[in-house]
Structures are given as structure tokens and as C-alpha cells.
Amino acid sequence: MIHTKGLTRTFRVKGETVEAVRGVDIDVERGELVAFLGPNGAGKSTSLRMLTTLLPPTSGTATVVGRDVVADPAGVRRRIGYIGQGNGAGHSQRVRDELICQGRSYGMDRTACHARADELLDSLDLRSLAKRTVSNLSGGQRRRLDIALGLMHHPELLFLDEPSTGMDPQNRANLWEHIQQVRENYGTTIFLTTHYLEEADTMAERVMVIDHGRVIADDTSARLKDDLAGDLITITVQDGEEAAQAAQTAERIASPHDVTVEGTAVRLRVTRGEAVLPEYLRALDAGGLKALTAEVRRPTLDDVFLALTGRSLRESGTAEQDGGKA
Amino acid sequence: MKLVTDTGIVFVREMRPVIRDPFSLIFSLGQPLVFLALFGPLLTGVPGMEQAAGGSVWQWFVPGILIMIGLFGTSMSGANLLWEMQTGAHERLLVTPLNRAALLVGRALKEIAPLVVQAAIIVVCVMPFGFRLYPLGALAGMLLLAVFGVGIGALSYALAIAAKNREWLFYGVQQTLLFPLLILSGMMLPLESGPGWLRALSNFNPLTYIVDAERALFAGDFSQPSVWQGALAAAVLAAVGLAVGIRSMRGSSG
């Protein structure tokens, strides 16, 4: 569905060349649900804008649904749907009119447009707003309309740029329900960008982590955690001296650089923590050390990002300006 | 074919809010009506006015006001696009397979509708005050106004795309160009009594020819050379406007 090779985009900002996206290779197959995860300014939106023909690449190639984005942008546009960061509906337009216009833009005939618009108005709970002017809608209602616009022509590949930004939890859940439905009913391939860890974690089957314009990890969320972060075992002992001994014991089980001591607490990064913990406790017992507390925590995608970049995604999330808008 | 269908789609989309809210057309007539009511009477006292007008001052002034609506109102239309660029509606349309030229042409063609309606209202308003209507000439005058409006509209949209998220740039350029074009076209006051350098400058202003043509047409006089000159100027303006506009639209990234 999506294949890119060395996709690159640079911008000139105040006489300086900014590399927003640096040689990104993406391969997404039909039916996948992929999240592009990274802090603001990582190059997510810029990549998406190249894939949706909004922005020509500086170098590299991209094929989307079998069409080259540079050679045949119209061919790409016919086959994809796009829900951008902003509101897609014109403010002075009426809800239903915009849906019809969207369908017509994709070459659907009038009858099909009306039928499809009704279907979406019902399923997105917009029926009572059909004749409303867009400027009178609430933020959540507008976002639902954006989704309806993106789904109007049954695209086989749907791009979403930060779809849930600014949504309350209820609307977010609602959005995801819809996306799941679309996948189940039509087998739509979905590619979205997000900087919400939880969203990428719970919803996407595959997460591509992007930072400073490069893809730095690409796998299922579970495997990223296992491979890059691992479970975190924390035990506490009586005092610092015991902690040092406990750490020595730990180094027989885990590799030394994954063991840290902080006061009376000893932490180990391991794979399959639930199996390692009992073994570790037995080893401590055998050595005459008594663990006071013990805990295993599954890693989050933030731990993955931390392991990859040395930064927390939560902290870097707001620090940088989004290069995609440059 | 796709160009025609797509232009139709964009045109209909642009027309809807205008039809739904026709009062906005009447409100935007405020400025030209003020000029008509307050500036028009001043003209009768201007020396040399009578012979420039060749009789009724209204007959001379009203066609200029029609071109003025075309210039003022239509050159602002890019602001709508600027707004849709900010909200994301323009970006959404750019990702659809709509023909790029249609995205511009459909918008530019829509400018005709408010223009013709407003011009008709103005003409009806001044008829009780001795404005004589020559139906055939007036019809040709409306056509000229429409072509002019398409050109100005297309240029305004091109300016909006070039300004992109910098509203100050759009309004700055638009406002800066407006008054020189207005004064140097002889729209408000006859240029015949002006100094030579000013008249020389006005020869380079396409609006001069369009205003002259509009006056001849509304006087029912098709024989004057200003008619074909003005028609040519309007056609060239529309062609250049559309060419520049389509080029900008192709390069637009939302």
C-alpha cells in the first residue's frame, strides 16, 4: 500500500536548511493499521503531507496504492482518504452540502453521494446537524464531520494526521470505535500520526517511531517493548549495603548495565519479568538477603522512546515546534 | 471534461453560501452607495466635468462605480481562501482528485454572480435620478464587468495562496494596489484635466480602458474604439489572472 525509499524533505527557514524528513523508508501492506509516533517536529506531518501529495519530496520516492506521488499525484488522490489536523469543512458551508461536495469531488454520482452522506450522518451522530452551518458546530462535532468527509468515498487507504488532538476522552473513544469499524467492514488500510503514547499503544498493530526526521524503530508495540525496553523489576531491601549485595546477585541474572541501585531500591530491566522475579527472589534468599517489596512493571512506549533516544516523549512533546507546518 | 465537471463542483460549493445569505451582497454595497450618494453630487461642481460627462454626470459616474465594485469587492475574495487555508478546508480539497485548475476557475467564476447582482441593484437605484438605460449596451457592460471580475478574483486568490497564513501580507498588497489603480483609471474623477505625467501613467493601467469601455457601453455607444480596447484589456486581465491563479493553485500545499 505504501512504499517509500529514502523519502526526504528539506525546508529553507530564514536562510538555513532544515531537514524535516531524512531518508525515510516505509513499507505498509494492505490492511495494516500503522501509527507514526514521535514528538512534535519529528517529521510526522511532513511525511504524511508527502504521502498525500500535498508536498513534493525533496528527494527519494514514494508509491502510494501503486501510484508514484510525483509522477501520478491524481492517481494517488483518487485512491486515498485524508483527515488532516485542521477542520476540513468550510465554515460558511452546511454539513450535508460539504459531504455531498466531497463525494462529487471523488466522482461519485448524486444518488450515491446522498445515500453515503445519510449513512455517515447517522453513524457519526450528525443527523440532527445536517443543515447546520459548520461555523455553528462545536469542536467535537466538527471533528466528527472531518471523519465523515474522509470516509465519504470508501478509500482503501486512510491517512489521519493527529486525529484525536484536542478531543475529550469520550470523543476519542468514539473516533477509535469508528476507525475499528471501518477496518472490520472494509479492510481499510490505516496510517496515522500521533504523539499520544496510549493511542499508539492500544490501537495500532504496528508502531513506527520517528525522531529528528528518521524512523528509529518499527515493530509491534509488544515487541518494541520487549526488545528495546523490557520489564522493570524493582525490589527494596533493608539498607544500602544490602542493596549493593542484591545488585551483585542481580547481575548474575541480568546484564550488569540493566541493573541500577537507588538508595535501598534495586532495579532490573529484563525480558519476561514475571518469570525472572521469582528466580531472583530465590537467589536473594539463598544469599541471605531479604526483599521487603517486589514489583514488576510492563514497559510503556515512553520507555521505548527513552531507551531509543535518551529522552522522554512526554517531555519533548511540547518543547519543539512542529516542523511539518514550516 | 473533468475540468468542466470539477469547475462546476467548486463553483456550486462557492455559490451556496452566497445564495443562502443574499443579504451579505446588499451589505457589501454600502461603500459604493456611499460614493454614489455623497461623492456623485460633488462631481457636478467640478470644472470641466460637464463636457467630460457629455451631459448627465450620473451617466459618466455610474459605470465607474460598477468597475469599482468589481475592484473593491472582488479583490477581497482571496480572504475567503485565506480563511479556508487556515481552517484546513483548502487542504482537504487539495487532497481530493479535483482538477487543480478547477479549484481556481470555479472560485473565480463565482465572482461573477455577486458582481452582476450588485451592479443591477446600483443601476436600478440610480434610474429614478435620470440615469438612462440602454439595454443592449448595459448587457455588454455587465459582460465586460464579469470578465473583469474573473480576472481580479483569480489574482486575489493567487495573492492569498502566495501570502499563506500571513494575512498582513495579503491585506497589505491588496490595499496598496487598490487606490493607485482606482485613481489612475479615471473611475472617480476625469483624468482629462489632470497633469500630463498622471495621464501618461494612466495609459499603463488596464482599468483605464475598462472604465472607458464601460462608460461607452452604458451610453449605448458601441462605435467608440474604447469599447474594443476595454474588452481586450479585460480579456487579457482575465487570461493573465487565471494563468497566474492556476499556477499558484498547482503549487499550493494547503
Side-chain angles (χ1 to χ4, degrees):
Chain A
M1 271 317 226
I2 307 172
H3 300 283
T4 77
K5 204 105 211 102
L7 197 63
T8 299
R9 175 73 204 197
T10 56
F11 293 106
R12 296 285 297 170
V13 179
K14 294 188 181 102
E16 275 177 56
T17 305
V18 179
E19 291 183 287
V21 177
R22 320 171 184 212
V24 165
D25 301 328
I26 302 172
D27 289 286
V28 175
E29 301 308 324
R30 189 173 287 275
E32 281 195 276
L33 200 174
V34 181
F36 221 31
L37 174 74
N40 288 333
K44 303 185 299 285
S45 288
T46 307
S47 303
L48 206 66
R49 292 170 70 76
M50 287 191 276
L51 295 176
T52 53
T53 77
L54 282 167
L55 208 61
T58 309
S59 66
T61 58
T63 323
V64 176
V65 203
R67 315 281 148 152
D68 188 278
V69 292
V70 178
D72 184 14
V76 172
R77 289 179 198 128
R78 267 196 294 280
R79 288 164 178 82
I80 63 167
Y82 172 68
I83 298 169
Q85 282 187 25
N87 284 126
H91 277 214
S92 52
Q93 302 284 340
R94 288 191 185 175
V95 170
R96 201 162 188 284
D97 293 345
E98 276 294 66
L99 287 170
I100 305 287
C101 168
Q102 179 80 350
R104 302 279 298 143
S105 306
Y106 284 91
M108 291 164 67
D109 66 41
R110 266 173 236 283
T111 331
C113 283
H114 284 275
R116 179 65 177 150
D118 287 338
E119 202 176 297
L120 286 167
L121 286 171
D122 283 334
S123 74
L124 282 155
D125 201 14
L126 291 164
R127 169 60 79 183
S128 59
L129 305 169
K131 288 188 171 168
R132 263 315 164 81
T133 305
V134 172
S135 56
N136 295 330
L137 300 183
S138 74
Q141 291 166 338
R142 273 181 217 173
R143 207 60 190 137
R144 294 213 298 278
L145 178 55
D146 290 336
I147 296 157
L149 285 165
L151 297 177
M152 191 66 196
H153 60 292
H154 295 298
E156 41 186 324
L157 168 61
L158 182 64
F159 289 99
L160 300 104
D161 197 3
E162 303 274 353
S164 55
T165 300
M167 275 188 166
D168 59 33
Q170 195 197 334
N171 274 318
R172 197 173 294 175
N174 196 299
L175 165 75
W176 275 103
E177 205 177 297
H178 267 96
I179 292 178
Q180 303 287 24
Q181 259 175 33
V182 168
R183 281 198 79 206
E184 279 163 30
N185 297 345
Y186 301 102
T188 310
T189 310
I190 293 168
F191 191 89
L192 65 104
T193 69
T194 183
H195 63 262
Y196 289 115
L197 293 154
E198 294 79 7
E199 193 166 274
D201 206 354
T202 52
M203 295 303 170
E205 288 157 2
R206 180 176 153 199
V207 178
M208 296 180 84
V209 184
I210 182 168
D211 190 39
H212 295 310
R214 284 199 178 87
V215 174
I216 51 175
D218 177 4
D219 214 326
T220 65
S221 170
R223 240 174 303 168
L224 284 176
K225 289 174 189 169
D226 284 345
D227 296 353
L228 293 163
D231 299 343
L232 187 67
I233 293 178
T234 307
I235 61 134
T236 55
V237 288
Q238 199 64 46
D239 52 41
E241 198 181 317
E242 281 194 25
Q245 288 172 11
Q248 274 181 4
T249 311
E251 284 170 15
R252 283 188 265 138
I253 299 168
S255 62
H257 71 265
D258 286 329
V259 179
T260 52
V261 179
E262 203 183 309
T264 60
V266 181
R267 291 196 176 86
L268 297 73
R269 279 259 179 230
V270 293
T271 48
R272 301 207 54 233
E274 73 279 10
V276 173
L277 180 61
E279 188 193 335
Y280 182 41
L281 291 176
R282 278 195 297 275
L284 288 177
D285 268 345
L289 291 163
K290 195 174 160 214
L292 300 175
T293 65
E295 179 193 21
V296 182
R297 189 169 65 81
R298 288 287 293 158
T300 64
L301 279 177
D302 198 29
D303 294 322
V304 171
F305 192 78
L306 188 70
L308 285 165
T309 66
R311 309 192 317 276
S312 165
L313 191 56
R314 288 182 207 284
E315 287 159 21
S316 53
T318 50
E320 288 172 64
Q321 191 208 350
D322 193 349
K325 292 207 184 126
Chain B
M1 204 44 227
K2 179 155 168 58
L3 174 67
V4 178
T5 320
D6 286 2
T7 302
I9 293 169
V10 176
F11 178 79
V12 169
R13 177 177 185 269
E14 289 291 312
M15 280 300 290
R16 278 207 187 96
V18 182
I19 293 169
R20 294 253 158 80
D21 198 8
F23 287 103
S24 66
L25 289 184
I26 295 171
F27 277 119
S28 57
L29 273 177
Q31 195 180 25
L33 284 175
V34 164
F35 270 102
L36 268 181
L38 302 181
F39 194 84
L42 286 175
L43 286 171
T44 34
V46 174
M49 190 63 224
E50 290 292 329
Q51 79 249 29
S56 162
V57 169
W58 290 120
Q59 217 67 36
W60 182 88
F61 191 52
V62 171
I65 285 291
L66 298 188
I67 299 294
M68 184 177 143
I69 311 173
L71 182 63
F72 276 57
T74 316
S75 68
M76 282 296 288
S77 54
N80 292 331
L81 179 57
L82 210 54
W83 176 235
E84 294 217 319
M85 287 166 84
Q86 276 168 13
T87 61
H90 178 56
E91 185 184 85
R92 193 252 306 172
L93 288 168
L94 282 176
V95 182
T96 70
L98 281 173
N99 181 291
R100 306 293 104 167
L103 281 170
L104 189 279
V105 178
R107 283 179 182 272
L109 286 180
K110 165 248 158 185
E111 300 307 326
I112 295 174
L115 212 47
V116 168
V117 171
Q118 290 179 330
I121 293 174
I122 296 268
V123 169
V124 169
C125 281
V126 292
M127 273 168 69
F129 300 95
F131 182 78
R132 242 190 104 185
L133 189 69
Y134 300 87
L136 216 58
L139 220 58
M142 288 294 196
L143 187 67
L144 181 75
L145 185 64
V147 175
F148 171 70
V150 169
I152 294 290
L155 286 173
S156 180
Y157 289 122
L159 179 60
I161 292 170
K164 191 188 180 180
N165 296 338
R166 286 168 297 179
E167 275 185 47
W168 56 269
L169 187 63
F170 176 81
Y171 291 109
V173 173
Q174 189 251 356
Q175 297 289 326
T176 309
L177 289 176
L178 218 50
F179 280 94
L181 284 173
L182 175 83
I183 295 165
L184 287 175
S185 70
M187 216 179 282
M188 312 292 293
L189 287 165
L191 291 167
E192 283 79 358
S193 48
W197 62 266
L198 207 132
R199 271 181 285 147
L201 271 180
S202 79
N203 286 336
F204 292 100
N205 184 359
L207 264 69
T208 310
Y209 304 97
I210 297 170
V211 170
D212 284 348
E214 192 76 343
R215 283 185 183 134
L217 288 172
F218 269 89
D221 184 358
F222 284 88
S223 64
Q224 284 188 37
S226 65
V227 172
W228 70 262
Q229 288 171 350
L232 183 69
V236 169
L237 184 77
V240 170
L242 288 174
V244 172
I246 290 169
R247 212 184 119 87
S248 308
M249 191 57 88
R250 285 192 207 285
S252 176
S253 59

